[in-house]
Amino acid sequence: MSASFASALDAAREAAALQHYPQGALYVVATPIGNLADITLRALHVLQMADTVACEDTRHTQSMLRAYGIDKSASQLLAVHQHNEAEAAENVVLRLQQGQRVAYVSDAGTPGVSDPGARLVVAVQSAGLRAVPLPGASSITTALSVAGAVAHSHEHGCFVFAGFLPVKNAERATVVQQQLANEPRCVVLLEAPHRISELAQALAVLGERPVTLARELTKQFEEVTTQPAHALTAWLAGSPQRSRGEFVVLLHPVPVAADDSESLRVLRLLLQELPLKTAVRLAADISGASRNVLYDTALGWKRNGTGQSGAGDDAAD
């Protein structure tokens, strides 16, 4: 055990021991996605107390537990992964019926989202038993929190989780072009390092749509960047390090198409006298329209030669 976690175990007992932890219940425990310090006190307490720890990889979980100073015998660790989840769930249900407390952890993050666990929970609930959530780390919400991709002020201030796209290039391209390109909300994708370049190439058809790449989250070489979709391949090629680690990929919301409203009339007038960014900011303040929508509209006018700008370069703003 790292000495730095000795006090954490004491704190976990102090903070969580007086709470009620029913027997015969499955505890779905979120674990760190990279940084071991991102464990919760309640998770530490439940992992110490559990009669059985069900997990994706027993060796990985044993190593994690020992880092925290939690000792479990081999018989207390039960493999439950995507290839045996249905069968292993029967074993878990049997242990719960015997009155055991069973904690379930995936290799990293919150179980049952992009990792195994959903079928296990269904089996437990179908048997009339209880599943207790212990919230914690999640790569999805971690990336969303620093991407600025879900704004309540935006008409599409929500997100959808798409997970991993198809492995085959043709199928992946079809999903991107026929589904993601037309999805106005923020879309959350996951990707492995050996396929991130192929995903970037497939997303290039989305053009200027902002995309956030978040890699190695919570780890030493964590990196978060937002690029136009067409620039992702070039960014990845900028350094070999950039293609390493697990990725969360966020497609930012599609700006709502503007119509011939008063906000557009104001924008056109301002563009005759002011730099683009200044004109957009003032037009949004005057009309109450979305600044992002007005900015994209002004850029479209500029590209098509249909807008007027009397103040030249934006750099002066």
Short mmCIF file of all heavy atoms in Angstrom, two decimals, residues 160-217:
data_model
loop_
_atom_site.label_atom_id
_atom_site.label_comp_id
_atom_site.label_asym_id
_atom_site.label_seq_id
_atom_site.Cartn_x
_atom_site.Cartn_y
_atom_site.Cartn_z
N VAL A 160 -25.84 13.36 -26.20
CA VAL A 160 -26.20 11.96 -26.42
C VAL A 160 -24.91 11.15 -26.39
O VAL A 160 -23.85 11.61 -26.83
CB VAL A 160 -26.94 11.74 -27.76
CG1 VAL A 160 -28.30 12.38 -27.72
CG2 VAL A 160 -26.14 12.29 -28.93
N PHE A 161 -25.00 9.95 -25.85
CA PHE A 161 -23.84 9.08 -25.74
C PHE A 161 -23.91 8.01 -26.83
O PHE A 161 -24.84 7.21 -26.87
CB PHE A 161 -23.80 8.43 -24.37
CG PHE A 161 -22.67 7.44 -24.20
CD1 PHE A 161 -21.36 7.87 -24.24
CD2 PHE A 161 -22.93 6.09 -24.02
CE1 PHE A 161 -20.32 6.96 -24.10
CE2 PHE A 161 -21.90 5.18 -23.87
CZ PHE A 161 -20.58 5.62 -23.91
N ALA A 162 -22.92 8.03 -27.74
CA ALA A 162 -22.88 7.06 -28.84
C ALA A 162 -21.84 5.98 -28.62
O ALA A 162 -21.87 4.95 -29.29
CB ALA A 162 -22.62 7.78 -30.17
N GLY A 163 -20.89 6.20 -27.72
CA GLY A 163 -19.88 5.18 -27.43
C GLY A 163 -18.94 4.94 -28.60
O GLY A 163 -18.55 5.85 -29.31
N PHE A 164 -18.61 3.67 -28.81
CA PHE A 164 -17.68 3.30 -29.88
C PHE A 164 -18.44 3.15 -31.20
O PHE A 164 -19.47 2.48 -31.26
CB PHE A 164 -16.98 1.99 -29.54
CG PHE A 164 -15.99 2.09 -28.42
CD1 PHE A 164 -16.38 1.83 -27.10
CD2 PHE A 164 -14.67 2.46 -28.67
CE1 PHE A 164 -15.46 1.93 -26.06
CE2 PHE A 164 -13.75 2.55 -27.62
CZ PHE A 164 -14.15 2.29 -26.32
N LEU A 165 -17.91 3.76 -32.26
CA LEU A 165 -18.49 3.60 -33.59
C LEU A 165 -18.03 2.27 -34.19
O LEU A 165 -17.09 1.65 -33.69
CB LEU A 165 -18.07 4.76 -34.48
CG LEU A 165 -18.59 6.14 -34.08
CD1 LEU A 165 -18.24 7.17 -35.16
CD2 LEU A 165 -20.09 6.14 -33.82
N PRO A 166 -18.66 1.82 -35.29
CA PRO A 166 -18.25 0.56 -35.91
C PRO A 166 -16.76 0.55 -36.27
O PRO A 166 -16.18 1.60 -36.60
CB PRO A 166 -19.12 0.49 -37.17
CG PRO A 166 -20.33 1.29 -36.83
CD PRO A 166 -19.84 2.40 -35.96
N VAL A 167 -16.17 -0.62 -36.22
CA VAL A 167 -14.74 -0.75 -36.50
C VAL A 167 -14.44 -0.63 -37.98
O VAL A 167 -13.44 -0.02 -38.38
CB VAL A 167 -14.22 -2.10 -35.96
CG1 VAL A 167 -12.77 -2.33 -36.36
CG2 VAL A 167 -14.37 -2.16 -34.45
N LYS A 168 -15.31 -1.18 -38.82
CA LYS A 168 -15.07 -1.16 -40.27
C LYS A 168 -15.26 0.26 -40.81
O LYS A 168 -16.20 0.97 -40.46
CB LYS A 168 -16.02 -2.12 -40.98
CG LYS A 168 -15.77 -3.58 -40.62
CD LYS A 168 -16.68 -4.52 -41.40
CE LYS A 168 -16.38 -5.98 -41.06
NZ LYS A 168 -17.28 -6.91 -41.79
N ASN A 169 -14.34 0.65 -41.71
CA ASN A 169 -14.32 2.02 -42.21
C ASN A 169 -15.62 2.43 -42.90
O ASN A 169 -16.13 3.53 -42.68
CB ASN A 169 -13.15 2.21 -43.19
CG ASN A 169 -11.81 2.18 -42.49
OD1 ASN A 169 -11.71 2.43 -41.30
ND2 ASN A 169 -10.76 1.87 -43.24
N ALA A 170 -16.16 1.55 -43.73
CA ALA A 170 -17.38 1.88 -44.47
C ALA A 170 -18.56 2.08 -43.52
O ALA A 170 -19.35 3.01 -43.68
CB ALA A 170 -17.69 0.80 -45.50
N GLU A 171 -18.68 1.19 -42.54
CA GLU A 171 -19.79 1.31 -41.59
C GLU A 171 -19.63 2.56 -40.73
O GLU A 171 -20.61 3.25 -40.43
CB GLU A 171 -19.84 0.06 -40.71
CG GLU A 171 -20.18 -1.22 -41.48
CD GLU A 171 -20.17 -2.45 -40.59
OE1 GLU A 171 -19.93 -2.30 -39.37
OE2 GLU A 171 -20.36 -3.56 -41.11
N ARG A 172 -18.40 2.85 -40.34
CA ARG A 172 -18.15 4.04 -39.53
C ARG A 172 -18.52 5.30 -40.32
O ARG A 172 -19.17 6.21 -39.80
CB ARG A 172 -16.68 4.09 -39.10
CG ARG A 172 -16.38 5.25 -38.16
CD ARG A 172 -14.89 5.46 -37.96
NE ARG A 172 -14.22 4.26 -37.47
CZ ARG A 172 -13.33 3.58 -38.15
NH1 ARG A 172 -12.99 3.96 -39.37
NH2 ARG A 172 -12.76 2.50 -37.64
N ALA A 173 -18.10 5.34 -41.59
CA ALA A 173 -18.40 6.51 -42.42
C ALA A 173 -19.89 6.70 -42.59
O ALA A 173 -20.39 7.84 -42.59
CB ALA A 173 -17.72 6.35 -43.78
N THR A 174 -20.62 5.61 -42.71
CA THR A 174 -22.08 5.70 -42.87
C THR A 174 -22.72 6.30 -41.63
O THR A 174 -23.61 7.16 -41.72
CB THR A 174 -22.67 4.31 -43.14
OG1 THR A 174 -22.14 3.81 -44.38
CG2 THR A 174 -24.18 4.36 -43.24
N VAL A 175 -22.28 5.86 -40.46
CA VAL A 175 -22.83 6.39 -39.21
C VAL A 175 -22.55 7.89 -39.10
O VAL A 175 -23.42 8.68 -38.74
CB VAL A 175 -22.25 5.64 -38.00
CG1 VAL A 175 -22.65 6.33 -36.69
CG2 VAL A 175 -22.74 4.20 -37.99
N VAL A 176 -21.33 8.28 -39.42
CA VAL A 176 -20.96 9.69 -39.32
C VAL A 176 -21.80 10.54 -40.26
O VAL A 176 -22.37 11.57 -39.87
CB VAL A 176 -19.46 9.89 -39.62
CG1 VAL A 176 -19.12 11.38 -39.73
CG2 VAL A 176 -18.62 9.25 -38.53
N GLN A 177 -21.91 10.12 -41.51
CA GLN A 177 -22.58 10.93 -42.52
C GLN A 177 -24.10 10.91 -42.41
O GLN A 177 -24.76 11.92 -42.68
CB GLN A 177 -22.15 10.46 -43.91
CG GLN A 177 -20.67 10.67 -44.18
CD GLN A 177 -20.20 10.03 -45.47
OE1 GLN A 177 -20.99 9.83 -46.40
NE2 GLN A 177 -18.92 9.69 -45.55
N GLN A 178 -24.66 9.78 -42.01
CA GLN A 178 -26.12 9.68 -42.00
C GLN A 178 -26.74 9.94 -40.63
O GLN A 178 -27.93 10.25 -40.54
CB GLN A 178 -26.53 8.29 -42.51
CG GLN A 178 -26.15 8.03 -43.95
CD GLN A 178 -26.67 6.69 -44.47
OE1 GLN A 178 -27.44 6.01 -43.79
NE2 GLN A 178 -26.26 6.32 -45.67
N GLN A 179 -25.96 9.80 -39.57
CA GLN A 179 -26.52 10.00 -38.23
C GLN A 179 -25.87 11.17 -37.50
O GLN A 179 -26.56 12.11 -37.10
CB GLN A 179 -26.36 8.71 -37.41
CG GLN A 179 -27.10 7.51 -37.99
CD GLN A 179 -26.90 6.25 -37.16
OE1 GLN A 179 -26.68 6.32 -35.95
NE2 GLN A 179 -26.96 5.10 -37.80
N LEU A 180 -24.56 11.13 -37.33
CA LEU A 180 -23.91 12.15 -36.52
C LEU A 180 -23.95 13.53 -37.17
O LEU A 180 -24.09 14.54 -36.48
CB LEU A 180 -22.47 11.76 -36.23
CG LEU A 180 -22.26 10.42 -35.52
CD1 LEU A 180 -20.81 10.24 -35.13
CD2 LEU A 180 -23.15 10.31 -34.30
N ALA A 181 -23.82 13.57 -38.49
CA ALA A 181 -23.83 14.87 -39.18
C ALA A 181 -25.15 15.60 -38.99
O ALA A 181 -25.19 16.83 -39.01
CB ALA A 181 -23.53 14.67 -40.66
N ASN A 182 -26.22 14.85 -38.80
CA ASN A 182 -27.54 15.44 -38.64
C ASN A 182 -28.00 15.53 -37.19
O ASN A 182 -29.13 15.96 -36.93
CB ASN A 182 -28.57 14.63 -39.45
CG ASN A 182 -28.27 14.63 -40.93
OD1 ASN A 182 -27.91 15.66 -41.49
ND2 ASN A 182 -28.38 13.47 -41.57
N GLU A 183 -27.15 15.13 -36.26
CA GLU A 183 -27.50 15.19 -34.84
C GLU A 183 -27.12 16.56 -34.29
O GLU A 183 -25.94 16.89 -34.21
CB GLU A 183 -26.76 14.09 -34.08
CG GLU A 183 -26.91 14.15 -32.57
CD GLU A 183 -28.34 14.19 -32.11
OE1 GLU A 183 -29.06 13.19 -32.29
OE2 GLU A 183 -28.75 15.24 -31.56
N PRO A 184 -28.10 17.39 -33.92
CA PRO A 184 -27.78 18.75 -33.49
C PRO A 184 -27.18 18.84 -32.09
O PRO A 184 -26.55 19.83 -31.74
CB PRO A 184 -29.13 19.46 -33.55
CG PRO A 184 -30.13 18.37 -33.31
CD PRO A 184 -29.56 17.15 -33.98
N ARG A 185 -27.38 17.81 -31.28
CA ARG A 185 -26.89 17.85 -29.90
C ARG A 185 -25.42 17.44 -29.84
O ARG A 185 -24.87 16.90 -30.78
CB ARG A 185 -27.73 16.92 -29.03
CG ARG A 185 -29.19 17.32 -28.91
CD ARG A 185 -30.03 16.21 -28.32
NE ARG A 185 -30.14 15.07 -29.21
CZ ARG A 185 -30.85 13.98 -28.94
NH1 ARG A 185 -31.50 13.89 -27.79
NH2 ARG A 185 -30.90 12.99 -29.80
N CYS A 186 -24.80 17.71 -28.70
CA CYS A 186 -23.44 17.22 -28.46
C CYS A 186 -23.45 15.70 -28.47
O CYS A 186 -24.33 15.07 -27.87
CB CYS A 186 -22.93 17.74 -27.12
SG CYS A 186 -21.32 17.06 -26.61
N VAL A 187 -22.48 15.10 -29.15
CA VAL A 187 -22.39 13.64 -29.25
C VAL A 187 -21.09 13.19 -28.57
O VAL A 187 -20.01 13.72 -28.86
CB VAL A 187 -22.40 13.16 -30.70
CG1 VAL A 187 -22.29 11.63 -30.76
CG2 VAL A 187 -23.66 13.63 -31.42
N VAL A 188 -21.20 12.23 -27.66
CA VAL A 188 -20.04 11.71 -26.94
C VAL A 188 -19.64 10.37 -27.54
O VAL A 188 -20.44 9.43 -27.59
CB VAL A 188 -20.35 11.52 -25.44
CG1 VAL A 188 -19.10 11.02 -24.71
CG2 VAL A 188 -20.84 12.84 -24.83
N LEU A 189 -18.40 10.28 -27.99
CA LEU A 189 -17.85 9.06 -28.56
C LEU A 189 -16.66 8.60 -27.72
O LEU A 189 -16.03 9.40 -27.03
CB LEU A 189 -17.36 9.29 -30.00
CG LEU A 189 -18.36 9.86 -31.00
CD1 LEU A 189 -17.65 10.18 -32.31
CD2 LEU A 189 -19.49 8.88 -31.25
N LEU A 190 -16.37 7.32 -27.80
CA LEU A 190 -15.16 6.76 -27.19
C LEU A 190 -14.33 6.10 -28.28
O LEU A 190 -14.89 5.57 -29.25
CB LEU A 190 -15.53 5.73 -26.12
CG LEU A 190 -16.41 6.21 -24.96
CD1 LEU A 190 -16.75 5.05 -24.04
CD2 LEU A 190 -15.73 7.33 -24.18
N GLU A 191 -13.01 6.13 -28.12
CA GLU A 191 -12.18 5.48 -29.13
C GLU A 191 -10.86 5.01 -28.53
O GLU A 191 -10.32 5.65 -27.60
CB GLU A 191 -11.93 6.41 -30.31
CG GLU A 191 -11.35 5.72 -31.52
CD GLU A 191 -12.16 4.48 -31.94
OE1 GLU A 191 -11.87 3.39 -31.38
OE2 GLU A 191 -13.06 4.61 -32.77
N ALA A 192 -10.37 3.91 -29.06
CA ALA A 192 -9.08 3.35 -28.64
C ALA A 192 -7.96 4.03 -29.41
O ALA A 192 -8.17 4.54 -30.52
CB ALA A 192 -9.07 1.85 -28.89
N PRO A 193 -6.74 4.05 -28.86
CA PRO A 193 -5.64 4.75 -29.53
C PRO A 193 -5.31 4.22 -30.92
O PRO A 193 -4.95 5.00 -31.81
CB PRO A 193 -4.46 4.57 -28.56
CG PRO A 193 -4.84 3.44 -27.66
CD PRO A 193 -6.34 3.48 -27.56
N HIS A 194 -5.44 2.93 -31.14
CA HIS A 194 -5.07 2.38 -32.44
C HIS A 194 -6.11 2.66 -33.52
O HIS A 194 -5.87 2.35 -34.70
CB HIS A 194 -4.81 0.87 -32.34
CG HIS A 194 -6.00 0.06 -31.91
ND1 HIS A 194 -6.40 -0.02 -30.59
CD2 HIS A 194 -6.88 -0.68 -32.62
CE1 HIS A 194 -7.46 -0.81 -30.51
NE2 HIS A 194 -7.78 -1.21 -31.72
N ARG A 195 -7.26 3.25 -33.14
CA ARG A 195 -8.27 3.58 -34.15
C ARG A 195 -8.60 5.07 -34.19
O ARG A 195 -9.47 5.48 -34.96
CB ARG A 195 -9.55 2.78 -33.89
CG ARG A 195 -9.46 1.30 -34.24
CD ARG A 195 -10.85 0.68 -34.40
NE ARG A 195 -11.60 0.73 -33.16
CZ ARG A 195 -11.63 -0.25 -32.25
NH1 ARG A 195 -10.95 -1.36 -32.46
NH2 ARG A 195 -12.35 -0.13 -31.15
N ILE A 196 -7.92 5.88 -33.40
CA ILE A 196 -8.28 7.29 -33.34
C ILE A 196 -8.02 7.99 -34.67
O ILE A 196 -8.78 8.89 -35.07
CB ILE A 196 -7.54 8.01 -32.18
CG1 ILE A 196 -8.10 9.42 -31.99
CG2 ILE A 196 -6.04 8.02 -32.43
CD1 ILE A 196 -9.54 9.47 -31.61
N SER A 197 -6.98 7.59 -35.41
CA SER A 197 -6.70 8.23 -36.70
C SER A 197 -7.81 7.96 -37.70
O SER A 197 -8.22 8.86 -38.46
CB SER A 197 -5.35 7.75 -37.25
OG SER A 197 -4.29 8.18 -36.43
N GLU A 198 -8.31 6.72 -37.70
CA GLU A 198 -9.40 6.38 -38.61
C GLU A 198 -10.67 7.15 -38.26
O GLU A 198 -11.40 7.60 -39.14
CB GLU A 198 -9.67 4.87 -38.57
CG GLU A 198 -8.61 4.02 -39.27
CD GLU A 198 -7.37 3.79 -38.42
OE1 GLU A 198 -7.34 4.29 -37.27
OE2 GLU A 198 -6.44 3.13 -38.91
N LEU A 199 -10.93 7.31 -36.96
CA LEU A 199 -12.10 8.08 -36.55
C LEU A 199 -11.95 9.54 -36.98
O LEU A 199 -12.91 10.16 -37.47
CB LEU A 199 -12.29 8.00 -35.04
CG LEU A 199 -13.44 8.83 -34.47
CD1 LEU A 199 -14.77 8.39 -35.05
CD2 LEU A 199 -13.48 8.74 -32.95
N ALA A 200 -10.76 10.10 -36.81
CA ALA A 200 -10.53 11.49 -37.21
C ALA A 200 -10.77 11.68 -38.70
O ALA A 200 -11.37 12.68 -39.13
CB ALA A 200 -9.10 11.90 -36.85
N GLN A 201 -10.34 10.72 -39.51
CA GLN A 201 -10.57 10.81 -40.95
C GLN A 201 -12.05 10.76 -41.28
O GLN A 201 -12.53 11.49 -42.16
CB GLN A 201 -9.83 9.68 -41.66
CG GLN A 201 -8.31 9.80 -41.59
CD GLN A 201 -7.59 8.54 -42.06
OE1 GLN A 201 -8.20 7.65 -42.65
NE2 GLN A 201 -6.29 8.47 -41.81
N ALA A 202 -12.79 9.91 -40.55
CA ALA A 202 -14.23 9.80 -40.81
C ALA A 202 -14.96 11.08 -40.41
O ALA A 202 -15.93 11.49 -41.06
CB ALA A 202 -14.80 8.61 -40.05
N LEU A 203 -14.50 11.74 -39.34
CA LEU A 203 -15.17 12.95 -38.85
C LEU A 203 -14.84 14.17 -39.69
O LEU A 203 -15.51 15.22 -39.56
CB LEU A 203 -14.79 13.21 -37.40
CG LEU A 203 -15.25 12.17 -36.37
CD1 LEU A 203 -14.73 12.56 -34.99
CD2 LEU A 203 -16.77 12.05 -36.35
N ALA A 204 -13.84 14.09 -40.56
CA ALA A 204 -13.41 15.25 -41.36
C ALA A 204 -14.55 15.82 -42.20
O ALA A 204 -14.58 17.01 -42.50
CB ALA A 204 -12.23 14.87 -42.24
N VAL A 205 -15.53 14.98 -42.58
CA VAL A 205 -16.65 15.45 -43.41
C VAL A 205 -17.53 16.44 -42.67
O VAL A 205 -18.35 17.13 -43.29
CB VAL A 205 -17.51 14.26 -43.90
CG1 VAL A 205 -16.68 13.32 -44.75
CG2 VAL A 205 -18.15 13.53 -42.73
N LEU A 206 -17.36 16.55 -41.34
CA LEU A 206 -18.16 17.49 -40.57
C LEU A 206 -17.62 18.91 -40.65
O LEU A 206 -18.18 19.83 -40.05
CB LEU A 206 -18.23 17.04 -39.10
CG LEU A 206 -18.81 15.64 -38.87
CD1 LEU A 206 -18.85 15.34 -37.38
CD2 LEU A 206 -20.20 15.52 -39.48
N GLY A 207 -16.51 19.10 -41.37
CA GLY A 207 -16.00 20.42 -41.68
C GLY A 207 -15.60 21.25 -40.47
O GLY A 207 -14.69 20.89 -39.73
N GLU A 208 -16.29 22.38 -40.29
CA GLU A 208 -15.94 23.33 -39.23
C GLU A 208 -16.53 22.96 -37.87
O GLU A 208 -16.29 23.65 -36.88
CB GLU A 208 -16.41 24.73 -39.61
CG GLU A 208 -15.70 25.34 -40.80
CD GLU A 208 -14.25 25.64 -40.52
OE1 GLU A 208 -13.91 25.91 -39.34
OE2 GLU A 208 -13.44 25.61 -41.46
N ARG A 209 -17.33 21.91 -37.79
CA ARG A 209 -17.95 21.56 -36.51
C ARG A 209 -16.86 21.31 -35.46
O ARG A 209 -15.97 20.49 -35.66
CB ARG A 209 -18.83 20.33 -36.67
CG ARG A 209 -19.61 19.97 -35.40
CD ARG A 209 -20.66 18.94 -35.70
NE ARG A 209 -21.41 18.56 -34.49
CZ ARG A 209 -22.42 17.71 -34.49
NH1 ARG A 209 -22.84 17.17 -35.62
NH2 ARG A 209 -23.05 17.42 -33.36
N PRO A 210 -16.92 22.01 -34.32
CA PRO A 210 -15.89 21.81 -33.30
C PRO A 210 -15.95 20.40 -32.70
O PRO A 210 -17.03 19.87 -32.44
CB PRO A 210 -16.24 22.86 -32.24
CG PRO A 210 -17.10 23.85 -32.94
CD PRO A 210 -17.87 23.06 -33.96
N VAL A 211 -14.78 19.82 -32.50
CA VAL A 211 -14.66 18.50 -31.90
C VAL A 211 -13.61 18.57 -30.79
O VAL A 211 -12.50 19.08 -31.01
CB VAL A 211 -14.25 17.43 -32.94
CG1 VAL A 211 -14.08 16.07 -32.26
CG2 VAL A 211 -15.26 17.36 -34.07
N THR A 212 -13.95 18.08 -29.62
CA THR A 212 -12.98 18.03 -28.52
C THR A 212 -12.42 16.62 -28.39
O THR A 212 -13.19 15.65 -28.34
CB THR A 212 -13.64 18.44 -27.19
OG1 THR A 212 -14.01 19.83 -27.26
CG2 THR A 212 -12.67 18.26 -26.02
N LEU A 213 -11.12 16.52 -28.37
CA LEU A 213 -10.43 15.26 -28.10
C LEU A 213 -9.87 15.33 -26.68
O LEU A 213 -9.14 16.28 -26.35
CB LEU A 213 -9.28 15.03 -29.08
CG LEU A 213 -9.61 14.90 -30.57
CD1 LEU A 213 -8.33 14.65 -31.36
CD2 LEU A 213 -10.60 13.78 -30.82
N ALA A 214 -10.21 14.35 -25.86
CA ALA A 214 -9.70 14.30 -24.49
C ALA A 214 -9.01 12.95 -24.31
O ALA A 214 -9.65 11.90 -24.41
CB ALA A 214 -10.83 14.46 -23.48
N ARG A 215 -7.71 12.99 -24.06
CA ARG A 215 -6.94 11.75 -23.95
C ARG A 215 -6.20 11.69 -22.62
O ARG A 215 -5.85 12.71 -22.05
CB ARG A 215 -5.94 11.60 -25.10
CG ARG A 215 -5.01 12.78 -25.28
CD ARG A 215 -3.94 12.52 -26.35
NE ARG A 215 -3.00 11.54 -25.90
CZ ARG A 215 -1.90 11.82 -25.19
NH1 ARG A 215 -1.63 13.07 -24.86
NH2 ARG A 215 -1.09 10.87 -24.82
N GLU A 216 -6.01 10.46 -22.14
CA GLU A 216 -5.26 10.23 -20.90
C GLU A 216 -5.83 11.05 -19.74
O GLU A 216 -5.08 11.59 -18.92
CB GLU A 216 -3.78 10.57 -21.10
CG GLU A 216 -3.05 9.69 -22.08
CD GLU A 216 -2.73 8.31 -21.50
OE1 GLU A 216 -3.67 7.47 -21.45
OE2 GLU A 216 -1.59 8.07 -21.09
N LEU A 217 -7.15 11.13 -19.66
CA LEU A 217 -7.78 11.95 -18.64
C LEU A 217 -7.36 11.52 -17.24
O LEU A 217 -7.32 10.33 -16.92
CB LEU A 217 -9.30 11.86 -18.77
CG LEU A 217 -9.89 12.63 -19.95
CD1 LEU A 217 -11.38 12.31 -20.10
CD2 LEU A 217 -9.70 14.13 -19.79
#
